[in-house]
Each structure stands twice: as structure tokens, then as C-alpha cells.
Amino acid sequence: MFRLDGRTALVTGASRGIGEGIARRLAEAGARVVAAARTTASLDSLVAELHDAGHEASALTLDVSRPESIAEALKTLPDDLLPVQILVNNAGITADNLLGRMDLDQWRSVLETNLTGSYALTRALMRGMLRSRWGRVINISSVVALMGNAGQVNYAASKAGLIGFSKSLAREIGSRNITVNVVAPGYVETAMTAAMTEEHKTRLVAEIVLGRLGTCDDIAAAVHFLASEDAGYVTGQVLNVSGGLYI
């Protein structure tokens, strides 16, 4: 179901958490996965594990916070992995603060990584998709982009920007059989949520209709569907995967 054989998928922020889960899921579905992160050392165990399981995977050093470096990094991809036809823009950072205390560097760093980095990488890979007349661009936003969150005006702005970017790009390239969609995760069990106190976590879960935090697999499943042929008539959409935190 939802096989991706013969497709190359590039996933940013693949060294941990949601990105790692997405890379693993797409590889299991038959895609040749390029797992990207700032250092390949952080990807070694994932790539080795996927190889041991009989999947095709490789690591790519890619720092999306430096858009000017992206073109050179992509030149290191071997020819048999080109063109990249499935792009998952997942890499992102936070620098939380109330607006009155947020300095310009905190604003710029989050927008540069989360939004400008996605723009630059998508632009660099889009030509190959256009030539293939097939492509999937899947941008990982956040439920915070839909509902807001105090102390995260920079993060919410960057993730909301991804939604506008995706809807506009979907209109630009849809005639070439390329879809552009967004997955907006809610709170997911990662290292960040693991650091919460039990009291904080209990209060948070009480706001979620399904009564639990999400998992990386929950988000990866949504991405897998959007990357598949079965989602070929879905574009410009935001898939809210928050367990009912935001309805």
C-alpha cells in the first residue's frame, strides 16, 4: 500500500524525531531516501539501520539555515539519486520568547531556517521535478501556525508562512503533475516533550481530543500518504495531525 518504489525522497532534519520517523517510513515504502542534516555523523546510525533492513538510504550534509550553501551541497548527490522527486521540508528550530523580550536575532534565525531554508531547497530541487513531470513537496508546518501560541510569534510566523508558500506554489506547478501540501503536527512525543514535567504533560494532554500526544509515526503516516500516487489529486492542502488539539 502506498508504495514509493523508484522514487528518491529527500528529508531534512532527518537525524532525530519527526524527520527520522519520516525517513524511516519512506524507506520502508520503497523510496531511495536521502536523509539530510547539518552533519552526516548524526545520521550514521539511521542510514546503517536502513541498509541492514535492505532499504536504500544515504546521508547528506545540508544546513538549511545557510541557503547560499544548498546548491553546492546538492552537487554531492550521486546521479543515481537524481532527480529528487519527493521533498520533505522538515528541518526547523525554535527560539521561544515573549515578543517584548524577543531580539531580532531570535526572529531572524527562526524565519531563516524554517521558511527561507524551505524556499531555497524547494527552488533548487524543483527543476528536476518539472523535467520528470512528477513531484511531491511536503512541508512540515505546525498546529501553532493555525491556532497561535504565546511565546512563539517567530515560530508561528515561520510555520504560517510555509502554508502560504505551499498554497501559492501548488498553483504555480500543479500543471506539471507536482503536488504541494502541508502537514501540521500537534504535540508529538519527542525529546522536547519528554523534558516536560508530568504536571505540564497532563495539562497538555487534557486539551487533546484523542487524549494522548502524537507519535513520530503518526506524522510519518500522513507524509507517506501525501507522497504516494494515491494522493495525486490532493494539492495545496493543510493536513492537521494534532489529535484534535485544534479543530
Side-chain angles (χ1 to χ4, degrees), residues 155-214:
Y155 183 74
S158 70
K159 294 299 189 177
L162 271 179
I163 293 174
F165 169 81
S166 302
K167 287 179 176 288
S168 297
L169 184 59
R171 291 184 180 275
E172 287 186 16
I173 60 180
S175 64
R176 302 296 185 91
N177 197 32
I178 303 169
T179 67
V180 186
N181 290 291
V182 178
V183 174
Y187 289 98
V188 175
E189 291 178 350
T190 61
M192 182 179 70
T193 53
M196 292 179 179
T197 65
E198 284 304 313
E199 181 182 0
H200 185 187
K201 193 177 295 186
T202 299
R203 288 201 306 270
L204 180 60
V205 169
E207 298 178 15
I208 300 171
V209 171
L210 294 185
R212 66 171 177 87
L213 297 179

Side-chain angles (χ1 to χ4, degrees), residues 117-134:
S118 296
Y119 144 79
L121 183 55
T122 303
R123 187 174 185 272
L125 293 175
M126 192 171 63
R127 185 175 298 175
M129 296 184 193
L130 291 171
R131 283 197 299 263
S132 297
R133 299 190 70 83
W134 196 97

Side-chain angles (χ1 to χ4, degrees), residues 27-162:
E28 290 169 352
R32 299 182 296 261
V33 169
V34 178
R38 291 184 181 182
T39 63
T40 51
S42 62
L43 299 166
D44 286 347
S45 61
L46 171 63
V47 171
E49 182 182 335
L50 292 176
H51 281 167
D52 290 344
H55 306 307
E56 293 186 65
S58 61
L60 175 68
T61 300
L62 185 68
D63 185 355
V64 298
S65 70
R66 297 177 56 241
E68 69 282 358
S69 71
I70 287 175
E72 284 302 312
L74 292 176
K75 288 179 182 178
T76 66
L77 288 176
D79 289 343
D80 62 349
L81 291 177
L82 298 173
V84 171
Q85 294 168 302
I86 300 168
L87 170 61
V88 184
N89 285 308
N90 167 73
I93 63 169
T94 59
D96 296 349
N97 217 335
L98 296 174
L99 181 61
R101 300 173 183 170
M102 183 177 292
D103 60 37
L104 189 56
D105 283 343
Q106 289 175 308
W107 173 267
R108 282 177 171 165
S109 63
V110 171
L111 269 291
E112 188 79 359
T113 299
N114 299 2
L115 184 56
T116 305
S118 296
Y119 144 79
L121 183 55
T122 303
R123 187 174 185 272
L125 293 175
M126 192 171 63
R127 185 175 298 175
M129 296 184 193
L130 291 171
R131 283 197 299 263
S132 297
R133 299 190 70 83
W134 196 97
R136 301 284 188 266
V137 178
I138 302 162
N139 293 315
I140 307 301
S141 178
S142 169
V143 71
V144 168
L146 304 174
M147 62 186 285
N149 196 33
Q152 288 194 308
V153 294
N154 51 359
Y155 183 74
S158 70
K159 294 299 189 177
L162 271 179

